[in-house]
Amino acid sequence: MPGCAGTPVGGPSRAGTWWRTNFRGRRVTLQEGPALASGVCAASLLTPGLDPRVRAATALAAAGAAGFGAYDDLAGSADARGLRGHLGALARGRVTTGAVKMVGIGVTGLAAAALLRRGPWDTLVDGALIAAGANLVNLFDLRPGRAVKFGLLTALPGLASPAAPLLAPTVGACAALLSDDLAERSMLGDAGANALGAALGVAAVARASRPVRLALLGGVVALTLASEVTSFSRVIDRVPPLRALDRWGRCA
């Protein structure tokens, strides 16, 4: 893996709307997120062997999640974090960019699920899984490469299944961007992490049976709620295999 390329805060070439400070105090670009979303959308529309409705659902879910994620990236603040923070702000009469993002991704998730033309109950479950998946991947985007690795680990087993044409665009985009993410040249941000999770969600709802989709939704919701009371980073650091995988390829 290439060495770190990020620069300390204050570097003249690292100022601007699309730059952020990462956990090590280095400036990295957020443009990885739009790049991933664009790649997933384009590849999903062009990959052979996909049902047109599934193509449209993937593109809509990824583009919608990326758009609302970019809004939160560019206009949001760190005043409110997580479900508790955004809902608490809403209870006090303040609408945060994170709350707008949650509603927006929920709506686009339902719209993407509706394109699959299933019954109302399935559409509701599928839309919830797409939106919840978008949020879950974003929770992992706290260290270089972590969210991209999570996406790859989630998608790679499916390449040996009938879901391979659906997952190939996501795997390709993640593989192409992992090196720059690990080298701290770029990061997914909300735009990329939300788009990645939404695309994985569509792949799951398009191919999995209802019981499997319900189980996946339960698991994703459980992890999301767990993130409100514990730190994923703390858990990962305490489990040696997870810590080794998380730090693989990262700058020292």
Side-chain angles (χ1 to χ4, degrees), residues 136-162:
L136 178 63
V137 174
N138 194 37
L139 297 176
F140 283 90
D141 192 34
L142 295 176
R143 295 292 185 272
R146 181 181 293 174
V148 179
K149 289 176 186 176
F150 179 81
L152 285 170
L153 290 173
T154 303
L156 281 173
L159 293 181
S161 75

Side-chain angles (χ1 to χ4, degrees), residues 95-237:
V95 179
T96 64
T97 56
V100 173
K101 183 185 73 170
M102 286 191 293
V103 172
I105 291 178
V107 171
T108 55
L110 282 172
L115 290 174
L116 301 178
R117 296 184 182 177
R118 293 171 173 161
W121 171 245
D122 284 304
T123 297
L124 183 62
V125 170
D126 294 349
L129 180 54
I130 293 169
N135 181 69
L136 178 63
V137 174
N138 194 37
L139 297 176
F140 283 90
D141 192 34
L142 295 176
R143 295 292 185 272
R146 181 181 293 174
V148 179
K149 289 176 186 176
F150 179 81
L152 285 170
L153 290 173
T154 303
L156 281 173
L159 293 181
S161 75
L166 271 170
L167 292 168
T170 303
V171 171
C174 286
L177 295 170
L178 180 59
S179 178
D180 278 353
D181 200 317
L182 288 170
E184 299 181 38
R185 285 190 286 266
S186 63
M187 63 186 294
L188 286 176
D190 287 9
N194 288 147
L196 173 56
L200 291 172
V202 173
V205 303
R207 290 291 184 264
S209 64
R210 182 188 288 177
V212 172
R213 284 180 276 134
L214 286 170
L216 287 173
L217 179 58
V220 171
V221 170
L223 284 172
T224 301
L225 294 177
S227 73
E228 295 292 313
V229 297
T230 189
S231 165
F232 283 176
S233 292
R234 187 178 300 116
V235 173
I236 289 170
D237 286 340

